[in-house]
Amino acid sequence: MITRFGDARDWFFEKRFGMFVHWGLYALPAWHEQILWRGEITRREYETLPGQFNPVSYDPERWLDAAESAGMEYLCFTTKHHDGFCMWDTQETDYNVMNTPYGRDVLAMLADACERRGILLCLYYSLPDWHHRNYPNQGRHHEMFGPRPGDEPDAGAYLEFVRRQVRELLTGYGPIHAFFWDVNVAELHDPSINDMIRELQPQALINDRGPGPGDYSTPERHVPPGHGFAAPTEACQSMGRESWGYRADEDYYSRLFLMQSVDRILAMGGNYLLNVGPMADGTLPKECVDSLERIGRWYEKVSESFRGTVPASHMLTATETHLFRYDDVLLTRRDNTFYVHAPAALHTGGIVLDGLDHEPESVVLLNDGRRLDWTIDVIPWRWKQRPCLRLRNLPVDEISDEVLVARIEFGHRPAE
Ligand code: GLC
């Protein structure tokens, strides 16, 4: 069981599904947000990109439409990625969005739209900085190969710059609900910056990639082993396989894969941040908009299985011991109501819930509202075990493009 914070940060346990947005100069070459490190472009060339940044079709309301269509309730925006380019009107460097043909504070526009809609805003900020003269680039991973002429590597001075920028971000853009530091390659250590965040925005959670201890972990593009999390967790995943920033010829994940991934993490008690990379004109790729809408139609039907529930998969024994014979299913529960999740394709139309042996009052498939049959049986494969609850006739061939979730109501509370 995850212990809650007991303060304003507990919004995190109510709003579980969010949108990650990676947007910056890297949308122009449209290859990967780290093109400067991974790709064939020089720093000199990259630093001419602000002259071309003019997202005339940027309208944050459209991003929020897409987020809401998926059922997302918060949004995390890249204020500064590793390239060091700042997407707000910062006083700390000229390398920012005001010095582009567009010349508008895109973060301010987004913050206003979020506040109007009641979508909670969170901010991403990269510690590596491939532009700032004080960042100690040494050619480690996610770093430039070394200082260039005129640079003055100085971790202390860099951290003071970071502190001033973080203060700008947390004082100029309304309520901020999480601060998402990224990859602390240089292992910069200064917990007083996190203390400042807590003082300025007490409802903001801080992740574990920053200069001091944080509140939650951020597994990226993978599902940690087990059936639940011991501490607050927010998994993140991009809609495309290769990049977080817009990639022109991206291989997008299938909608089913993304639903499976969202379902598994939420059923384990985590939060899920699903990333989109807007294009250089400010609009979202059609593939993302369409998939978010499809995921949202599913999420709306099954989201009651995540709201106010706790992971209960530890009550199942069959999935642990007979993974290949039985299905990979997860359980969530709210009092006497249980939800069975099938985040991987079911092998048959029957789910064996070894570990539960009470007669339910009803079993309903949330995907289409149909009632499901059930039995309490001794299973031939487990003939020496106690009888257990078996759900019957799930429409595995009929509904194969979304994750199946069933609600089981018991008349009284099954024993733990
Ligand atoms: C990784 C990548 C970075 C991306 C981040 C999102 O750390 O280096 O480009 O922004 O993941 O979590």
Side-chain angles (χ1 to χ4, degrees):
M1 274 282 274
I2 297 172
T3 314
R4 296 192 171 205
F5 302 109
D7 57 32
R9 291 171 292 176
D10 282 350
W11 69 265
F12 187 76
F13 304 106
E14 311 302 329
K15 300 184 187 278
R16 313 268 311 275
F17 188 22
M19 176 181 265
F20 210 172
V21 180
H22 274 65
W23 197 41
L25 295 179
Y26 40 82
L28 285 158
W31 188 75
H32 188 278
E33 76 279 0
Q34 296 172 23
I35 187 171
L36 187 51
W37 183 54
R38 298 179 188 226
E40 300 293 323
I41 187 170
T42 62
R43 277 164 106 179
R44 192 189 296 263
E45 275 174 271
Y46 193 88
E47 289 174 359
T48 66
L49 293 176
Q52 298 167 45
F53 191 74
N54 194 16
V56 288
S57 303
Y58 171 54
D59 179 354
E61 300 283 352
R62 301 291 80 77
W63 295 5
L64 301 187
D65 287 345
E68 282 184 346
S69 81
M72 294 161 161
E73 298 179 276
Y74 64 101
L75 182 147
C76 182
F77 179 67
T78 47
T79 58
K80 184 192 83 163
H81 206 265
H82 312 331
D83 61 1
F85 186 76
C86 299
M87 297 294 277
W88 79 99
D89 183 8
T90 176
Q91 304 307 302
E92 297 299 325
T93 169
D94 292 338
Y95 200 47
N96 78 60
V97 69
M98 305 308 286
N99 298 312
T100 63
Y102 193 61
R104 297 175 68 187
D105 186 336
V106 296
L107 175 62
M109 295 163 72
L110 177 62
D112 288 348
C114 285
E115 199 151 5
R116 274 198 296 279
R117 296 265 191 125
I119 299 255
L120 306 185
L121 180 63
C122 307
L123 304 179
Y124 163 107
Y125 185 96
S126 167
L127 278 167
D129 190 314
W130 300 337
H131 179 83
H132 196 271
R133 54 206 290 272
N134 293 137
Y135 180 82
N137 276 297
Q138 289 173 27
R140 294 165 287 202
H141 70 94
H142 296 85
E143 272 188 353
M144 292 290 100
F145 295 109
R148 44 182 172 184
D151 281 358
E152 288 175 21
D154 179 339
Y158 177 68
L159 274 174
E160 288 315 307
F161 160 78
V162 169
R163 184 194 310 278
R164 291 191 301 272
Q165 285 212 312
V166 172
R167 178 174 283 280
E168 280 183 352
L169 289 168
L170 297 187
T171 51
Y173 298 90
I176 301 301
H177 282 78
F179 204 82
F180 191 117
W181 295 104
D182 202 12
V183 278
N184 193 355
V185 178
E187 296 182 12
L188 301 167
H189 186 71
D190 187 346
S192 72
I193 302 184
N194 282 358
D195 295 343
M196 178 183 78
I197 297 174
R198 296 193 191 288
E199 202 178 300
L200 294 172
Q201 300 269 358
Q203 71 289 344
L205 287 85
I206 303 173
N207 80 348
D208 63 351
R209 303 184 187 181
D215 302 318
Y216 66 106
S217 64
T218 53
E220 188 176 300
R221 291 193 188 268
H222 80 281
V223 179
H227 286 154
F229 299 110
T233 301
E234 180 192 65
C236 54
Q237 167 70 285
S238 190
M239 295 192 78
R241 185 170 55 195
E242 304 300 335
S243 181
W244 298 80
Y246 173 61
R247 172 170 172 75
D249 66 347
E250 181 60 285
D251 293 319
Y252 286 101
Y253 287 113
S254 74
R255 295 159 192 181
L256 180 60
F257 172 81
L258 292 173
M259 287 178 212
Q260 290 173 334
S261 172
V262 170
D263 183 75
R264 189 180 291 283
I265 294 288
L266 295 190
M268 287 170 67
N271 283 20
Y272 201 95
L273 199 54
L274 181 57
N275 177 75
V276 296
M279 297 187 283
D281 70 356
T283 63
L284 295 177
K286 185 172 182 331
E287 292 89 339
C288 294
V289 175
D290 291 350
S291 289
L292 289 171
E293 198 266 331
R294 176 66 186 93
I295 292 167
R297 270 190 278 132
W298 163 77
Y299 187 71
E300 193 177 8
K301 291 181 290 189
V302 304
S303 61
E304 64 164 88
S305 66
F306 306 120
R307 282 186 206 287
T309 58
V310 291
S313 310
H314 56 277
M315 294 174 72
L316 297 177
T317 48
T319 49
E320 305 240 14
T321 47
H322 299 285
L323 201 54
F324 298 105
R325 176 160 295 263
Y326 295 116
D327 298 284
D328 176 11
V329 297
L330 293 171
L331 276 188
T332 54
R333 84 181 278 185
R334 186 190 317 102
D335 303 321
N336 299 351
T337 306
F338 281 65
Y339 296 93
V340 183
H341 301 256
L346 291 170
H347 306 172
T348 73
I351 296 182
V352 172
L353 293 170
D354 198 349
L356 293 185
D357 59 2
H358 279 71
E359 296 198 356
E361 285 188 341
S362 71
V363 184
V364 170
L365 185 68
L366 297 183
N367 303 72
D368 64 0
R370 80 176 69 183
R371 283 183 173 269
L372 295 173
D373 302 333
W374 53 269
T375 61
I376 303 274
D377 269 347
V378 171
I379 309 293
W381 170 251
R382 314 246 309 135
W383 76 100
K384 287 185 182 154
Q385 313 289 325
R386 291 195 322 192
C388 65
L389 176 60
R390 182 164 62 111
L391 310 186
R392 303 273 296 120
N393 299 325
L394 278 100
V396 287
D397 291 315
E398 196 185 318
I399 307 180
S400 53
D401 61 348
E402 46 183 59
V403 171
L404 300 181
V405 182
R407 180 180 61 222
I408 310 176
E409 302 274 5
F410 291 102
H412 54 276
R413 201 181 167 90
E416 292 278 336

